[in-house]
Amino acid sequence: MVSEAKNNKRYRCPVEATLDVIGGKWKPLILWQLKAEKLRFSGLQQSMQGISPKMLTKQLRELEEAGLVLREVYPEIPPRVEYSLTEFGKTVLPVLDALCEWGNKYLDRECVLGKNEELEAADGPALQ
Amino acid sequence: MVSEAKNNKRYRCPVEATLDVIGGKWKPLILWQLKAEKLRFSGLQQSMQGISPKMLTKQLRELEEAGLVLREVYPEIPPRVEYSLTEFGKTVLPVLDALCEWGNKYLDRECVLGKNEELEAADGPALQ
DNA sequence: CAGCATCCGCAACGATACTG
DNA sequence: CAGTATCGTTGCGGATGCTG
């Protein structure tokens, strides 16, 4: 996704570039998890219940290639890899906040307009 | 996408809801087009070169169901349908702006880091 | 532990033709 | 003009098994 983006993708507008980098099913969650703390692969996997290692790896590599995430490998036995946000990566946090805030507005509105059963409008990405 | 969202989708975080509503390949462009002016179906189709009528219809219906877009049908011959942003729809514009702004930062950075050939970092969603 | 390899279903997206 | 209807393609994301 990102790799292709860097190599050959032409965006019709910068919004597309952003969505390409921080969009998708997992990337926002990953970035949110890394907001506060450096995390290991297994830590991230547990934070986001249900993601397969393959998928997590893929997302992390893309975020790394985009320059948002730093991957530190400690050549130990057993292996240890830690992921954290780069300085540039931290610049997306306000964007994520904006998305989150509007999402809450949208969900509240949907709720008010009827239709919904139950709805915990979490204040941030929180699992379950 | 949105319809399913309203009916049965449970978001793990509000960011996902937002991306579901304004994300995807076409929705940001459509919203951007409608930012300034009310547009007819054919007008939108031309603004976004390459979209098929089926796709455009689908995106517009989803935006309509999400409450962002107003669809006005004039029962004339030939038919005329005009699309515009609702008041609620206008509340996403700042979010789009944020996405756009960060996208430009990202693209500039990618450019500076080498690799890119040509890159017109448009100031907003502008076709070609 | 932190992954890579492989296979695969399904939803998104696209092209074209046709209609009230 | 503003769409439907139909068919085809693509690739995201998931499941499972294996490795240094």
Side-chain angles (χ1 to χ4, degrees):
Chain A
M1 196 176 190
V2 169
S3 49
E4 298 85 21
K6 277 179 67 172
N7 294 330
N8 54 45
K9 204 175 279 182
R10 294 285 169 270
Y11 296 110
R12 290 161 302 172
C13 96
V15 175
E16 283 190 320
T18 305
L19 292 179
D20 210 20
V21 173
I22 72 167
K25 184 170 181 179
W26 299 107
K27 294 212 184 76
L29 280 310
I30 294 174
L31 292 170
W32 199 271
Q33 294 297 329
L34 294 178
K35 180 177 185 171
E37 41 179 353
K38 185 179 293 194
L39 280 172
R40 315 180 47 164
F41 189 87
S42 54
L44 275 168
Q45 196 172 7
Q46 284 154 20
S47 299
M48 296 168 304
Q49 182 116 342
I51 193 173
S52 69
K54 168 197 164 186
M55 214 50 213
L56 182 53
T57 300
K58 184 163 169 268
Q59 305 302 314
L60 284 170
R61 291 293 142 81
E62 288 173 2
L63 288 171
E64 187 189 0
E65 190 175 358
L68 303 195
V69 159
L70 177 67
R71 179 171 181 263
E72 295 173 285
V73 182
Y74 299 86
E76 313 166 348
I77 306 270
R80 178 163 58 106
V81 179
E82 290 185 340
Y83 293 92
S84 55
L85 291 184
T86 63
E87 282 310 308
F88 181 62
K90 290 174 186 168
T91 66
V92 280
L93 294 177
V95 179
L96 279 178
D97 282 331
L99 290 172
C100 182
E101 192 182 352
W102 191 88
N104 278 324
K105 254 197 310 207
Y106 171 73
L107 291 172
D108 284 350
R109 185 185 150 90
E110 290 298 307
C111 188
V112 168
L113 292 181
K115 181 68 114 183
N116 277 24
E117 300 83 74
E118 45 185 336
L119 163 60
E120 62 277 14
D123 198 24
L127 303 185
Q128 43 167 326
Chain B
M1 198 175 188
V2 170
S3 48
E4 298 84 21
K6 277 179 68 172
N7 294 328
N8 54 44
K9 204 174 279 182
R10 295 283 169 272
Y11 296 110
R12 290 161 301 173
C13 95
V15 175
E16 283 190 319
T18 306
L19 292 179
D20 210 20
V21 173
I22 72 168
K25 183 169 181 179
W26 299 107
K27 296 212 183 75
L29 281 309
I30 293 174
L31 293 170
W32 198 271
Q33 294 298 327
L34 295 178
K35 180 177 185 170
E37 42 180 352
K38 187 179 291 195
L39 280 173
R40 315 178 49 161
F41 189 88
S42 55
L44 275 168
Q45 197 173 4
Q46 283 155 21
S47 299
M48 294 169 304
Q49 182 118 342
I51 193 172
S52 69
K54 169 193 164 186
M55 213 51 211
L56 182 54
T57 300
K58 184 166 172 264
Q59 305 302 314
L60 285 170
R61 293 291 143 82
E62 288 173 2
L63 288 171
E64 188 189 0
E65 190 175 358
L68 302 196
V69 159
L70 177 66
R71 179 172 180 262
E72 294 174 286
V73 182
Y74 298 85
E76 312 167 347
I77 306 269
R80 179 162 58 103
V81 179
E82 290 184 341
Y83 293 92
S84 56
L85 290 185
T86 62
E87 283 309 308
F88 181 62
K90 290 174 185 167
T91 66
V92 279
L93 293 178
V95 179
L96 280 179
D97 281 332
L99 290 172
C100 182
E101 190 183 352
W102 191 87
N104 278 324
K105 253 197 313 208
Y106 171 74
L107 291 172
D108 283 351
R109 186 184 150 92
E110 291 298 307
C111 188
V112 167
L113 292 180
K115 184 67 115 180
N116 278 23
E117 299 83 74
E118 46 187 335
L119 163 59
E120 63 279 13
D123 198 24
L127 304 185
Q128 44 167 325

